[in-house]
Amino acid sequence: MSTTEVLISELVEKHGRTRNSLMPILQGIVQQEKFLSEDAMVSVARELNISAADVFGTASFYTFLDTVPRGKNVIRVCKTISCHMKNKDEIIRALENALKIKVGETTHDKEYTLLTANCLGWCHKGPVMLINDEVYPELTPESALKIVNEHMHSK
Amino acid sequence: MTMETKKLKKVDIIFENIPGLSYSILEKTIKRNPDDIILDLIDSGLKGRGGAGFPTGLKWKFTKNEDNPVKYVICNADEGEPGTFKDREIIERVPDKILTGIAICGYVIGAKEGYIYLRGEYNFLLKNLVKRVEEFNAFLKKIHLDFKVMIRSGSGAYVCGEESALFESMEGYRGEPRNKPPYPTVAGYNWKPTVINNVETLVFATMICHMGPEKFKKLGTTDSRGSKVFSVSGDTPIPGIYELELGMPLHRFVEEFGDGDTKAVQIGGASGFCVTRKKFNDTIIGFEGIPTGGSMMIFNSSRSMYNILHDYLEFFCEESCGQCTPCRIGCQQLLKGIEAVKRGERPPSYLEELKKLTATMKIASKCGLGQSVGNPFNSIVDNFREEIIY
């Protein structure tokens, strides 16, 4: 069994085989692998006895259930109104320059993917970004770079 | 008729944190008759704090009256409305008060399971919340209440804050809203009778059980009882989270939170209404005026209202679930439309056509998302027509 299949069987064991456990299972895969590969979706479909199209249909609805390859770490910069008013564009530009990628792309070493997100719920402390599940509010271009730098060297 | 108006008054019901208080409220409350608890909630005048404002006591009553062995309580923590961030803070600071509200509701309606649907953007709250839920479930066992709370996560879809889309998501489907009726009180999660309440509403339910409806009723106005947690952002020197008495006029709010140069306030988030300076004096914040889930975005005169409307429409284009045509195509046409007017490719009168489109969307869209896009669109276009055109 591939590592993905092992992971899926563990998740199915934990959450059950009903349709209601589909979201927690898909979230568990994304947590580990950062995206849902075709193989992963096909195995989930087999485990839950639903069609692969059903799994893909559900997954592709949700922004955080990526169905295209992502880096080991996903950065999401909030782009909605309050963060826009507080210059989220500068944060994005600084990160694009530092990581040498555009929004939507992944670094060559597959370590970081840079994305934008709709309102992250920190409008009083924008601009804000998530690195994986961790939140970083009140950014400046300098602090954003420092945070990403420290993140790179914390492993 | 003169409207009943209130001064701006800060209140501390939601965040007041006395250790052990929630557990003692729960122990005390579950000794009472469920019908009496419902009567207290109805008497208090508490209306849902997520934005729609349905009377909480009635929602509980309708669900209790359903004859079904399986019922659910769901705490809607899918806070996604731009400009709203109060639920995050409530979950972070007073989770026990939320859990207590969920358990009291379960006791009242006869449910055995409660869920918190937490948006994926707030996953960092999970570590602490899971711990508190485990402790809480252990306490429920100790006091022999046959009820259990579980957590489910969202995955980044604004529309899942719509209650029926939230059920679909929990059931493992695309977050596409259902037709109503049936309402959740009859057929909600797993098509069973379900009470779904906003985070803040559940905390107020807990606190009304604690302090009694009279004390709660003293706050606010006839149509808008009690207080409300507001999320204040935008051009303000003091952005943040404030619990204020309902029913205050907007000008008092602007005096307190504005930067002296406020030209407009967006009440109720991207799907809410834009109010301009000349209407500050006669706009009441509450169900008799402009209701809000708590989002108050302040704009000063340096802001382009075209850019703001453009941002809102981009947001709706991305977050429309795409299921029904009026919303899916409507949002895109509104966005393209204002861009075309701005570029001069369409005459200013085209804005009237677009307003007609929002009227169609209001009638024909399946859920609140498509129905309410006209709120920001019309209130911004009507009040700031020049900024949209030139």
Side-chain angles (χ1 to χ4, degrees):
Chain A
M1 277 208 303
S2 71
T3 51
T4 306
E5 281 172 345
V6 173
L7 172 66
I8 291 170
S9 64
E10 281 169 11
L11 287 165
V12 168
E13 199 62 41
K14 185 176 168 197
H15 297 290
R17 282 173 196 279
T18 63
R19 179 81 190 227
N20 288 26
S21 42
L22 180 58
M23 287 290 284
I25 291 170
L26 297 180
Q27 286 161 345
I29 300 169
V30 172
Q31 186 76 29
Q32 288 296 316
E33 307 198 332
K34 300 298 163 189
F35 84 108
L36 299 162
S37 63
E38 260 183 54
D39 287 347
M41 286 187 276
V42 169
S43 339
V44 170
R46 202 179 299 125
E47 291 281 351
L48 298 189
N49 199 20
I50 53 180
S51 78
D54 250 348
V55 176
F56 179 73
T58 300
S60 59
F61 183 86
Y62 296 92
T63 316
F64 286 9
L65 298 179
D66 287 303
T67 51
V68 291
R70 297 295 190 203
K72 270 187 207 152
N73 302 285
V74 179
I75 303 173
R76 296 175 201 271
V77 183
C78 178
K79 65 172 178 183
T80 309
I81 189 84
S82 314
C83 286
H84 194 173
M85 287 162 67
K86 291 198 173 165
N87 299 324
K88 54 93 185 166
D89 287 333
E90 283 179 23
I91 309 295
I92 293 170
R93 216 170 301 130
L95 292 175
E96 282 180 336
N97 287 335
L99 296 167
K100 298 187 173 54
I101 50 173
K102 293 278 174 213
V103 168
E105 295 177 347
T106 301
T107 52
H108 282 296
D109 59 7
K110 306 260 183 289
E111 284 291 328
Y112 290 91
T113 298
L114 179 62
L115 300 172
T116 55
N118 278 329
C119 193
L120 295 175
W122 290 86
C123 315
H124 59 325
K125 290 186 177 173
V128 60
M129 67 175 172
L130 290 174
I131 302 183
N132 305 323
D133 284 344
E134 290 307 310
V135 62
Y136 300 92
E138 296 181 286
L139 296 173
T140 61
E142 295 74 33
S143 72
L145 290 183
K146 195 163 161 251
I147 289 162
V148 170
N149 239 320
E150 280 168 10
H151 194 270
M152 282 175 177
H153 295 101
S154 66
K155 285 165 289 184
Chain B
M1 193 188 89
T2 55
M3 259 202 235
E4 188 183 355
T5 62
K6 290 275 174 180
K7 288 195 169 139
L8 183 135
K9 187 174 152 197
K10 291 186 181 164
V11 188
D12 189 20
I13 297 174
I14 293 287
F15 292 109
E16 187 191 26
N17 199 356
I18 303 166
L21 176 68
S22 305
Y23 284 22
S24 74
I25 295 172
L26 179 61
E27 273 194 283
K28 185 184 76 181
T29 307
I30 58 167
K31 287 184 187 122
R32 298 181 61 199
N33 182 324
D35 290 320
D36 293 341
I37 300 170
I38 287 177
L39 282 179
D40 270 4
L41 278 180
I42 293 173
D43 183 33
S44 74
L46 175 64
K47 290 180 183 175
R49 293 303 196 237
F54 192 82
T56 308
L58 287 180
K59 201 183 253 188
W60 289 23
K61 185 180 169 185
F62 294 154
T63 314
K64 178 180 183 286
N65 289 348
E66 286 298 313
D67 184 19
N68 199 314
V70 181
K71 295 179 187 177
Y72 298 103
V73 184
I74 292 172
C75 168
N76 187 344
D78 194 49
E79 177 177 58
E81 188 65 49
T84 316
F85 41 86
K86 50 143 189 127
D87 291 341
R88 171 178 51 72
E89 190 103 345
I90 298 174
I91 297 163
E92 208 162 11
R93 284 168 58 185
V94 287
D96 288 349
K97 284 182 165 179
I98 307 166
L99 294 169
T100 299
I102 296 172
I104 291 173
C105 179
Y107 165 72
V108 167
I109 65 167
K112 306 235 181 321
E113 287 179 16
Y115 289 89
I116 298 173
Y117 185 96
L118 184 72
R119 70 189 300 226
E121 290 83 344
Y122 292 170
N123 275 348
F124 63 92
L125 293 174
L126 275 174
K127 209 172 135 201
N128 183 47
L129 190 62
V130 167
K131 214 174 105 214
R132 301 302 278 268
V133 167
E134 278 169 6
E135 283 170 18
F136 187 76
N137 283 337
F139 176 72
L140 293 179
K141 228 176 218 163
K142 206 181 99 195
I143 60 170
H144 305 292
L145 186 68
D146 185 11
F147 190 77
K148 196 181 167 199
V149 180
M150 285 159 280
I151 303 170
R152 298 295 288 272
S153 295
S155 273
Y158 165 76
V159 73
C160 287
E162 198 280 340
E163 50 197 22
S164 64
L166 188 150
F167 303 144
E168 290 288 309
S169 174
M170 282 181 64
E171 291 171 25
Y173 295 91
R174 296 165 69 85
E176 293 173 348
R178 299 171 180 168
N179 280 324
K180 292 181 198 174
Y183 292 97
T185 52
V186 177
Y189 177 49
N190 290 337
W191 298 91
K192 305 288 184 198
T194 304
V195 164
I196 176 162
N197 279 147
N198 170 260
V199 172
E200 186 187 340
T201 311
L202 287 161
V203 175
F204 272 122
T206 301
M207 294 313 285
I208 288 165
C209 290
H210 174 55
M211 65 191 195
E214 290 306 323
K215 211 170 155 192
F216 181 82
K217 252 165 61 176
K218 282 205 184 105
L219 294 167
T221 60
T222 316
D223 292 323
S224 309
R225 295 287 184 205
S227 52
K228 165 99 197 71
V229 182
F230 287 89
S231 311
V232 183
S233 67
D235 296 312
T236 164
I238 44 169
I241 292 156
Y242 300 89
E243 184 176 348
L244 305 170
E245 190 173 1
L246 280 172
M248 69 190 141
L250 186 54
H251 73 94
R252 298 220 191 266
F253 177 88
V254 172
E255 274 163 24
E256 177 81 12
F257 295 101
D259 61 358
D261 185 27
T262 304
K263 80 165 168 185
V265 180
Q266 179 81 13
I267 303 179
S271 65
F273 295 86
C274 183
V275 181
T276 61
R277 191 181 288 151
K278 58 179 188 282
K279 306 229 181 83
F280 285 172
N281 280 328
D282 38 51
T283 300
I284 303 287
I285 304 168
F287 298 105
E288 66 270 56
I290 299 186
T292 167
S295 172
M296 303 292 283
M297 270 188 223
I298 302 173
F299 304 119
N300 68 20
S301 59
S302 75
R303 302 295 171 186
S304 150
M305 297 310 287
Y306 172 82
N307 287 346
I308 286 161
L309 180 58
H310 194 272
D311 259 34
Y312 288 159
L313 292 173
E314 271 186 341
F315 175 84
F316 287 122
C317 285
E318 287 178 18
E319 296 297 341
S320 168
C321 81
Q323 178 188 200
C324 74
T325 317
C327 175
R328 182 183 67 244
I329 308 292
C331 290
Q332 294 172 14
Q333 289 305 322
L334 292 177
L335 180 60
K336 282 185 194 163
I338 63 162
E339 285 174 347
V341 171
K342 192 74 171 178
R343 285 196 300 261
E345 292 165 14
R346 293 276 183 182
S349 62
Y350 190 60
L351 291 173
E352 268 61 54
E353 298 298 314
L354 296 175
K355 282 174 66 180
K356 277 187 211 159
L357 175 58
T358 67
T360 306
M361 290 169 72
K362 193 178 167 89
I363 298 165
S365 296
K366 199 165 174 180
C367 83
L369 194 158
Q371 289 163 11
S372 59
V373 175
N375 299 345
F377 190 88
N378 294 324
S379 57
I380 292 175
V381 167
D382 287 345
N383 289 309
F384 296 99
R385 199 179 162 85
E386 288 74 23
E387 289 191 35
I388 304 299
I389 299 167
Y390 304 108

